[in-house]
Amino acid sequence: MTLDTTPMGTAVRIVSIEGSDVLTLRLMEMGMVPGAPARVVKSAPLGDPIQICLGDYHLALRRNEARTITVALCD
Amino acid sequence: MSAATETLSGSQVRPPSFQDLRRPLTVAVAGNPNTGKTSLFNTLTGLRQKVANYPGVTVESKLGQWSLAPDCLVRVIDLPGLYSLEATSLDEQIARDVLLGRTAKIARPDVVIVTVDATNLTRNLYLATQLIETELPMVVALTMFDLAERSKLRIDVTKLSEALGVSVVPVVAKRRGGIDDLGRAVLSAAAAGTRQKPDWCFAIPNPNGSRLVSNTSRESWQELLTARYRWIEKVVAEATDSDATRQASISERIDAFVTHKFLGPVILVLVMLLIFQTIFSWANLPMNLIDHVFSALGAGLRTHFPPGILTDLLVDGVIAGVGGVLVFLPQILLLFLFITLLEDSGYMARAAFLMDRLMRAFGLHGKAFVPLLSSFACAVPGIMATRTIENPKDRLATIMIAPFMSCSARLPVYTLMIAAFFSGQKVLGFISLGALMILGMYLLGIGVAIIVAWMLKHTILNAPSPPFMMELPPYRLPNFANVAHTLLARVGVFLKQAGTVIMAISILMWVLVTFPRASATEAGNDHATRVENSYAGQAGRLIEPVIAPLGFDWKIGIALISSFAARETVISTLSIVYRVGDDSGAESTSLVAAMRKAKRADGSTVWTPLVALSLMVFFVLACQCMSTVAIVRRETNSWRWPLFMISYMLVLAYVASLITYQGGRLLGPG
């Protein structure tokens, strides 16, 4: 499952990021490392970008980038 | 403060290496964006600070002085926020270069205070641990400590400090809590000098100093980065104890309205409406007050000084010119007040979140929303705010269209034209025509900006759409001191501008309008003839054939020429040309009245509503601002872009003004 298709409000964990080097580096620096807890909060009125709760803070991300992030459901 | 003083005066404690420095200590405040960095900087320095000024400075950072102890004044630099030493935006590069001593003009700081948001430890410690690895003397300032306590997050500061290997000081900037401790920690860090490398190190090897991801295999840097986070998570887990009611939940509840599918855009429109309403109605009272003060000043000078050229210069040149511009200080203050409040409360990020999809349709980035909104106050800070946009082509496109946002300097022009030719008229019986016209001018600027952005992004600035990644910081009550500091800085810049550039131009225009003086014996030696024969009049006559199709006569031409330095000078120039400072009767003192009475050679009136509209359109689109040109030159590091900007905007302004005037004449009787 990728982050752009994750249903709103579902608690997930980051598995991996398959984006470009620069994008992946920044996402990981912002805390999107494998195992980090995340949750899709909502999408903007026009459907894009989406708001993600990542650990202790919130991040806005476009669906294009969210698509590169693989996540797994929390047990 | 007393504790710090005691410690410092004890001779055995006084750090010897600090004494040997024999120069003031330089401390840089660094940290993630939205971590209370600027609050801390303001608390440390109070009013002893300055924003490095616009033209000619390569690094924009706030400098201040912190009287850390008696006889110990410390230079403090407030750096732009950054998430990592692997800078992706220009803002981050600037901060990193100062921290690593790569900036030619700014010496490497002696001590770095890194702000760490106590409510978001893990991500904040990412940058902090990177900085600790640089071996620079360092102190961690744990900000938002009161918020962490309130959300029942207990942080064991000693444990955190032991794990990191540097002092950790909790601070509550607005109550000055922890500031003395921070001072002591900074002094002992300075005394200790360069630290040992910590026994943990996750720095990604980067031998060439270039972007590290190209030097190291993807697997290896991902592994190191993850290891750093694992280590931080372990440290945080050991040093904190939480009853886990996340502070973010309040922000989420506010967001339920503010970024709601339907309510969100409605609120955004209402917020913008409130801003404009305030600027146009509430600002009137102080504006009238300032206007009266300057009128009285001019009249007073006339009565107390002997008539002559010096009095003319003072009243018609200096007072009419500078006063005409200072009147707009309340409007400018209110606009900046709103923008600062929106920024500090966390709303700006939400606005960018709401607008990103729409902005992308025009090839722009959601992050461009904030700089463009700021440009409604002034394009200069707006253009500087584009530094947060990572992609250079997106940043350039945003810079190129920022001057189309109707800035506060255009307001006086619109206000004057409306007061003179459209005041008191209503549409549908209750909407003021003036307000509608101003809204129209703003929309014209936005519309043209969108078209130009789209064209630029599909031609010379074509690039794939960059990733959009933006923190949505928790909502916070704006800090009063921060807002006051920002406003004071803005007032300072504006007053400086009014006192220097605008005064100089006012005097210059007065001279050009007054000389050469026709001899007194000549027939028809009234003001109008004198202006016509003056240097300015000759220049106005020279360009009259070019601007006549726009509906402008040579007197407006004089005002146009002077307005290319700064838009608001058009008013001071018109005041001088129409000799408004001359106090020969209650009615004739008003510029509005003078403009209404002005006649062409053939006896027809110069100013018709259509001429006023044509002039307003010209002012929406033309790039008449030296400061903007200077800042674009600096931010793009070339003359190519500012020259391109001046020329294409001038062409657009001319064409649009031509269409307005000639089209209007075809449709009706002028």
Side-chain angles (χ1 to χ4, degrees):
Chain A
M1 187 167 60
T2 54
L3 204 51
D4 66 312
T5 56
T6 307
M8 307 283 162
T10 317
V12 292
R13 282 190 183 282
I14 306 294
V15 176
S16 65
I17 306 175
E18 299 304 329
S20 68
D21 279 355
V22 177
L23 174 71
T24 308
L25 175 70
R26 185 34 66 111
L27 281 171
M28 289 180 73
E29 286 182 324
M30 298 285 278
M32 240 177 228
V33 289
R39 170 171 58 92
V40 179
V41 179
K42 63 163 74 176
S43 63
L46 295 170
D48 201 7
I50 55 175
Q51 179 180 355
I52 294 149
C53 177
L54 179 67
D56 291 322
Y57 78 104
H58 289 240
L59 189 70
L61 212 58
R62 281 186 187 158
R63 289 187 180 274
N64 265 340
E65 281 83 52
R67 197 165 297 134
T68 67
I69 303 163
T70 309
V71 295
L73 289 174
C74 287
D75 323 304
Chain B
M1 205 60 209
S2 65
T5 322
E6 268 167 42
T7 323
L8 283 168
S9 50
S11 55
Q12 73 274 42
V13 193
R14 188 179 276 274
S17 61
F18 175 44
Q19 262 184 331
D20 296 343
L21 283 174
R22 288 190 188 284
R23 62 185 173 90
L25 210 57
T26 302
V27 175
V29 185
N32 285 184
N34 309 304
T35 52
K37 208 166 45 60
T38 303
S39 294
L40 180 63
F41 174 78
N42 285 338
T43 308
L44 295 181
T45 60
L47 287 174
R48 288 180 307 269
Q49 55 171 274
K50 60 165 196 240
V51 184
N53 217 340
Y54 299 145
V57 189
T58 42
V59 177
E60 187 75 25
S61 28
K62 281 202 280 181
L63 290 176
Q65 287 193 323
W66 175 19
S67 39
L68 209 163
D71 311 323
C72 179
L73 216 53
V74 171
R75 267 162 44 94
V76 191
I77 310 173
D78 185 20
L79 294 175
L82 77 168
Y83 287 109
S84 155
L85 289 181
E86 268 307 300
T88 54
S89 67
L90 189 61
D91 245 357
E92 289 193 322
Q93 284 169 30
I94 290 170
R96 179 204 58 199
D97 289 349
V98 174
L99 286 168
L100 301 183
R102 291 187 198 159
T103 309
K105 280 186 191 162
I106 294 186
R108 195 174 187 182
D110 300 303
V111 183
V112 177
I113 297 176
V114 55
T115 54
V116 167
D117 180 349
T119 63
N120 187 3
L121 277 177
T122 312
R123 198 204 67 207
N124 275 257
L125 284 176
Y126 183 83
L127 173 71
T129 53
Q130 276 190 326
L131 283 172
I132 292 170
E133 284 168 6
T134 64
E135 301 166 50
L136 266 175
M138 200 170 91
V139 176
V140 168
L142 211 51
T143 55
M144 315 285 168
F145 199 67
D146 48 340
L147 291 179
E149 279 180 329
R150 214 177 304 157
S151 62
K152 306 221 168 56
L153 173 71
R154 282 179 294 275
I155 301 173
D156 187 333
V157 176
T158 323
K159 251 186 198 164
L160 194 60
S161 171
E162 275 167 12
L164 295 176
V166 296
S167 305
V168 177
V169 183
V171 294
V172 182
K174 58 184 168 215
R175 281 190 267 120
R176 289 197 65 85
I179 300 298
D180 294 347
D181 293 333
L182 188 67
R184 256 166 279 160
V186 163
L187 283 183
S188 58
T194 312
R195 284 172 300 102
Q196 293 288 309
K197 243 195 186 356
D199 47 8
W200 43 270
C201 184
F202 306 98
I204 304 164
N206 186 18
N208 304 340
S210 59
R211 292 199 63 88
L212 61 85
V213 283
S214 48
N215 289 336
T216 328
S217 79
R218 191 172 163 106
E219 286 71 31
S220 70
W221 62 254
Q222 285 198 340
E223 212 167 278
L224 276 165
L225 211 157
T226 311
R228 186 192 294 276
Y229 259 108
R230 292 280 173 276
W231 186 82
I232 293 170
E233 279 161 9
K234 190 173 81 72
V235 169
V236 171
E238 281 167 7
T240 59
D241 178 11
S242 170
D243 293 353
T245 42
R246 287 262 156 80
Q247 174 227 12
S249 61
I250 303 164
S251 285
E252 258 183 69
R253 263 178 277 158
I254 300 175
D255 271 340
F257 296 98
V258 170
T259 57
H260 184 267
K261 255 190 173 46
F262 306 110
L263 280 178
V266 173
I267 292 173
L268 182 64
V269 171
L270 286 180
V271 166
M272 309 216 8
L273 272 181
L274 173 78
I275 297 176
F276 290 121
Q277 173 65 24
T278 312
I279 290 167
F280 293 114
S281 60
W282 298 355
N284 272 336
L285 189 76
M287 286 171 74
N288 288 338
L289 198 73
I290 298 176
D291 196 22
H292 284 307
V293 168
F294 276 94
S295 301
L297 198 65
L301 278 178
R302 276 249 185 264
T303 48
H304 289 98
F305 279 62
I309 195 149
L310 194 67
T311 314
D312 282 352
L313 171 65
L314 270 178
V315 177
D316 296 337
V318 178
I319 292 181
V322 175
V325 174
L326 278 188
V327 166
F328 300 98
L329 186 62
Q331 280 186 335
I332 289 163
L333 264 184
L334 278 173
L335 197 52
F336 275 113
L337 172 71
F338 276 110
I339 282 174
T340 315
L341 287 180
L342 292 185
E343 193 113 47
D344 286 8
S345 63
Y347 185 77
M348 278 292 203
R350 269 69 185 187
F353 178 69
L354 291 175
M355 293 296 290
D356 178 63
R357 187 63 193 82
L358 201 62
M359 305 277 286
R360 199 176 359 153
F362 314 121
L364 287 175
H365 197 277
K367 277 187 190 171
F369 184 73
V370 177
L372 291 179
L373 194 59
S374 307
S375 298
F376 282 116
C378 175
V380 172
I383 286 167
M384 268 159 33
T386 61
R387 289 177 177 181
T388 54
I389 301 171
E390 284 96 348
N391 183 303
K393 286 186 174 172
D394 269 41
R395 183 165 168 262
L396 258 177
T398 311
I399 290 176
M400 284 298 123
I401 62 162
F404 283 124
M405 303 300 122
S406 276
C407 66
S408 47
R410 281 160 170 122
L411 263 181
V413 185
Y414 302 161
T415 317
L416 177 70
M417 294 303 144
I418 286 167
F421 305 104
F422 305 99
S423 70
Q425 300 181 44
K426 299 263 188 251
V427 179
L428 300 173
F430 65 99
I431 306 168
S432 119
L433 177 64
L436 270 186
M437 287 186 65
I438 290 187
L439 186 68
M441 292 303 129
Y442 278 90
L443 291 179
L444 173 67
I446 296 169
V448 171
I450 286 171
I451 296 166
V452 170
W454 190 88
M455 282 167 62
L456 285 175
K457 287 295 292 177
H458 285 82
T459 53
I460 44 176
L461 296 176
N462 195 3
S465 109
F468 173 77
M469 205 185 309
M470 184 186 63
E471 187 182 357
L472 295 167
Y475 287 102
R476 277 173 191 145
L477 274 180
N479 178 328
F480 175 77
N482 280 354
V483 175
H485 271 113
T486 312
L487 289 186
L488 269 177
R490 286 297 145 210
V491 175
V493 169
F494 182 78
L495 289 183
K496 207 171 156 194
Q497 171 116 348
T500 53
V501 178
I502 292 171
M503 189 186 294
I505 292 171
S506 295
I507 293 174
L508 180 72
M509 288 317 295
W510 180 84
V511 169
L512 291 180
V513 166
T514 311
F515 296 100
R517 301 203 107 181
S519 66
T521 52
E522 246 171 77
N525 189 19
D526 59 347
H527 179 65
T529 323
R530 279 207 307 272
V531 169
E532 193 167 353
N533 293 330
S534 69
Y535 296 122
Q538 292 167 22
R541 285 252 176 247
L542 194 69
I543 65 162
E544 195 170 25
V546 183
I547 57 170
L550 312 183
F552 306 154
D553 74 341
W554 59 271
K555 284 190 183 177
I556 304 177
I558 299 175
L560 269 189
I561 295 171
S562 79
S563 73
F564 274 86
R567 292 179 179 91
E568 54 271 48
T569 57
V570 74
I571 293 163
S572 50
T573 307
L574 283 176
S575 303
I576 292 164
V577 169
Y578 289 120
R579 214 170 173 212
V580 171
D582 194 17
D583 193 32
S584 54
E587 275 157 44
S588 68
T589 52
S590 148
L591 178 57
V592 168
M595 284 165 57
R596 283 182 184 152
K597 281 198 307 200
K599 294 273 188 292
R600 288 179 204 266
D602 60 2
S604 62
T605 47
V606 173
W607 293 90
T608 62
L610 189 58
V611 172
L613 186 65
S614 171
L615 189 74
M616 282 165 80
V617 168
F618 189 88
F619 269 75
V620 171
L621 301 179
C623 178
Q624 306 151 290
C625 177
M626 284 193 306
S627 312
T628 302
V629 174
I631 196 88
V632 173
R633 154 81 187 83
R634 196 182 97 198
E635 294 290 310
T636 61
N637 206 14
S638 81
W639 273 112
R640 207 159 47 118
W641 290 106
L643 288 177
F644 171 66
M645 187 159 94
I646 298 171
S647 13
Y648 93 81
M649 287 182 71
L650 187 61
V651 170
L652 273 177
Y654 188 87
V655 171
S657 199
L658 187 72
I659 293 172
T660 308
Y661 186 68
Q662 298 301 341
R665 291 210 335 163
L666 282 179
L667 292 176

